[in-house]
Amino acid sequence: MDRNPREVANPQRYHRGALGPVLERYLQGVQRHREGDYSMVALEELLAEAQQHDPAIGLHLFQTFTAQDRHVLAVSAGYCADVGESLRLWARYGRLASDMDTIDYVEDEAGAGVAVMIDAPGDLARFTVEHYFVMSLTVMREATGCRVLPSRVQFAHARPAHHARYVEAFGVPVEFGALDNRLCFATQDLALPLLGRHAGMLEIICQELDRRLGRQRQLSGWAGKLARNMRRALAEGRVPGLEEQAEALHQSARTLRRRLEEQGLSFRQLLDLVRGELEQHFELQGLATGEIATRLGYGDQDAYLHARRRWRESAS
């Protein structure tokens, strides 16, 4: 029985990071999507095509990731003191990578690990959690210099036809049809030190991640709905305006403005937050300043740089 809860799936959820672009690159560089964030629908379309080439793509895709493709959380984990701390970091900041994810740090008498729930339809949920677990194990092996083996790997989905591939990927027997998705490690392995551990660097990174997490929490409720529409408008080459956005949300401009004020935001402040969020993503992709300006809806680079100073000052 597939226990991934389909009924809670929300098509407006987004994945941030390189998962979408890497899937596109895997599909021989076909470009369909130019948003900073990939919606659930966009990922489903890419996954359906990728599975035609490799039914076990969730177990294999991370092999094609470059250093530049890795999410900031995967890079940050390398500065943790040990395996256990890196897992706690993932659970603490996982929501920064995707609106679809719920990640909890779990402990039992044998050790600890993460329990992961992906709020997405079955195939996408299976693919995503498989990818996450392979990524996590690969990063840990690189960071420790040891061939770490999990003490438990369990998936909520039913055993697939290609189930033999899972032992190849994880090195241990895998349980299917479980109550949830878990990747756990024995107590002694949780204490394995990481080769690149650096408390000072981790502290600086966590300060920035905490800031981003706080901003994400601010973008909830009506502000979150509007922010998603703003991202979509910018991806389509349009600068979002209050009137059109209110109409899209079936609100009057006055009502939408009031709802934002109740969350301590103006329309312009929210647009600045969205642009600042997308800017960071585009910078991580290595885009030139002029290209970032265009994608954020500015007519010229000077206007973008002036606006950037304004929103960075307001965030400080």
Side-chain angles (χ1 to χ4, degrees):
M1 179 180 179
D2 190 340
R3 299 177 186 272
N4 285 301
R6 301 163 191 250
E7 68 276 5
V8 298
N10 178 352
Q12 292 301 316
R13 292 184 183 273
Y14 287 81
H15 191 282
R16 303 176 181 87
L19 188 56
V22 174
L23 272 171
E24 291 191 348
R25 190 172 67 218
Y26 173 81
L27 295 169
Q28 300 179 349
V30 177
Q31 291 290 327
R32 308 174 178 81
H33 191 78
R34 295 184 64 83
E35 258 184 276
D37 302 340
Y38 279 63
S39 71
M40 182 192 304
V41 174
L43 285 177
E44 277 193 286
E45 292 175 352
L46 291 169
L47 174 62
E49 187 170 345
Q51 285 179 321
Q52 294 178 19
H53 299 273
D54 180 4
I57 186 65
L59 301 176
H60 301 147
L61 188 67
F62 191 67
Q63 298 171 9
T64 71
F65 271 57
T66 67
Q68 290 71 35
D69 293 327
R70 295 193 176 192
H71 192 274
V72 65
L73 294 183
V75 177
S76 303
Y79 294 115
C80 291
D82 51 38
V83 168
E85 187 176 38
S86 70
L87 289 171
R88 290 191 293 273
L89 181 138
W90 182 18
R92 180 178 177 181
Y93 297 113
R95 293 289 290 181
L96 292 174
S98 173
D99 295 333
M100 300 187 296
D101 305 349
T102 300
I103 302 169
D104 296 308
Y105 185 76
V106 293
E107 298 178 297
D108 59 28
E109 65 282 355
V114 289
V116 179
M117 195 277 279
I118 308 296
D119 183 4
D123 279 354
L124 182 56
R126 288 193 290 273
F127 158 75
T128 305
V129 75
E130 289 167 359
H131 169 71
Y132 283 171
F133 283 4
V134 169
M135 173 180 65
S136 178
L137 186 58
T138 303
V139 169
M140 285 182 191
R141 288 174 173 175
E142 292 173 354
T144 60
C146 304
R147 190 174 182 273
V148 184
L149 290 176
S151 60
R152 183 194 310 171
V153 182
Q154 66 181 48
F155 292 101
H157 56 264
R159 188 175 74 166
H162 56 273
H163 59 88
R165 303 279 188 90
Y166 287 77
V167 176
E168 297 173 8
F170 297 105
V172 297
V174 173
E175 178 185 353
F176 298 99
L179 291 176
D180 56 13
N181 305 293
R182 293 198 180 203
L183 178 67
C184 297
F185 296 86
T187 301
Q188 64 269 24
D189 290 329
L190 293 169
L192 285 172
L194 304 193
L195 301 175
R197 60 191 180 276
H198 194 297
M201 183 66 73
L202 183 64
E203 181 181 4
I204 292 172
I205 290 173
C206 286
Q207 288 174 355
E208 171 60 18
L209 295 178
D210 283 331
R211 186 184 71 82
R212 294 190 187 188
L213 198 61
R215 184 173 62 188
Q216 185 183 87
R217 287 169 179 158
Q218 189 178 22
L219 297 181
S220 60
W222 283 97
K225 295 176 183 179
L226 181 54
R228 285 192 290 270
N229 285 358
M230 285 177 167
R231 294 188 195 102
R232 187 176 301 111
L234 290 169
E236 294 171 355
R238 296 181 290 106
V239 177
L242 177 61
E243 295 289 343
E244 59 141 325
Q245 293 297 308
E247 183 178 353
L249 292 171
H250 308 291
Q251 303 287 309
S252 69
R254 181 178 179 180
T255 299
L256 182 58
R257 187 183 293 112
R258 188 186 76 248
R259 292 186 186 280
L260 290 176
E261 289 172 353
E262 290 171 353
Q263 293 186 242
L265 289 167
S266 68
F267 185 86
R268 179 175 177 177
Q269 287 172 328
L270 180 59
L271 182 55
D272 283 349
L273 283 173
V274 170
R275 280 171 157 165
E277 178 187 72
L278 291 175
E279 177 197 42
Q280 289 180 339
H281 177 78
F282 294 146
E283 286 180 338
L284 288 173
Q285 286 184 317
L287 298 187
T289 301
E291 176 67 10
I292 294 176
T294 299
R295 292 199 181 196
L296 295 182
Y298 292 101
D300 59 73
Q301 188 169 309
D302 289 341
Y304 157 59
L305 294 175
H306 176 75
R308 182 175 67 174
R309 284 194 295 271
R310 183 187 70 247
W311 76 56
R312 289 186 175 180
E313 287 171 1
S314 65
S316 61

